[in-house]
Amino acid sequence: MRVKLLSFGVLKDVLGVATEDIEIPNGSTVGELLEILERRTSNLTMNDKVWQSLAVAVNREYSSTAAALRDGDEVALLPPVSGGSSADGESCAWSNLLGGRIAAGQVSGGCHAD
């Protein structure tokens, strides 16, 4: 079966593409797809913690590694993101999976003091 893979952040650089159609065995899970990709990039220096701490979305919904994939699914790989600060120096560590553009005013309330 084929799934559409979307790679963001460091994974886009590691995999060499932002979008790719990839053939995987029927009945594969998200975790099995990650294992395939990890083996494919095993010749590159990449911290195992990045693979272990990915957020994965299937068809724009956050998903677990146990989730079964179906032919035609869209799988987005979202590496860990942290850092940034608000105008008053509060830390900001969160992420949203959105289908559109984000205006700065929409996210200003998302930062909070630790």
Side-chain angles (χ1 to χ4, degrees):
M1 71 179 176
R2 295 184 77 74
V3 296
K4 183 176 186 174
L5 183 67
L6 305 175
S7 305
F8 296 93
V10 66
L11 289 174
K12 181 173 69 172
D13 298 330
V14 168
L15 296 172
V17 293
T19 304
E20 171 184 10
D21 288 332
I22 185 168
E23 188 79 28
I24 59 174
N26 286 335
S28 292
T29 64
V30 168
E32 290 165 338
L33 172 61
L34 294 178
E35 289 172 7
I36 291 167
L37 295 172
E38 190 173 2
R39 282 194 304 271
R40 194 169 92 180
T41 60
S42 64
N43 62 328
L44 302 172
T45 303
M46 187 164 141
N47 190 329
D48 286 339
K49 290 182 181 180
V50 173
W51 287 111
Q52 296 166 2
S53 59
L54 285 177
V56 178
V58 177
N59 300 323
R60 297 187 181 210
E61 296 286 334
Y62 282 106
S63 180
S64 74
T65 56
L69 294 170
R70 296 181 313 236
D71 188 52
D73 278 349
E74 178 184 81
V75 181
L77 305 179
L78 308 156
V81 178
S82 66
S85 65
S86 62
D88 59 3
E90 295 175 336
S91 72
C92 183
W94 53 270
S95 64
N96 281 322
L97 178 65
L98 300 174
R101 300 182 75 165
I102 301 172
Q106 290 177 300
V107 297
S108 63
C111 295
H112 54 79
D114 290 337

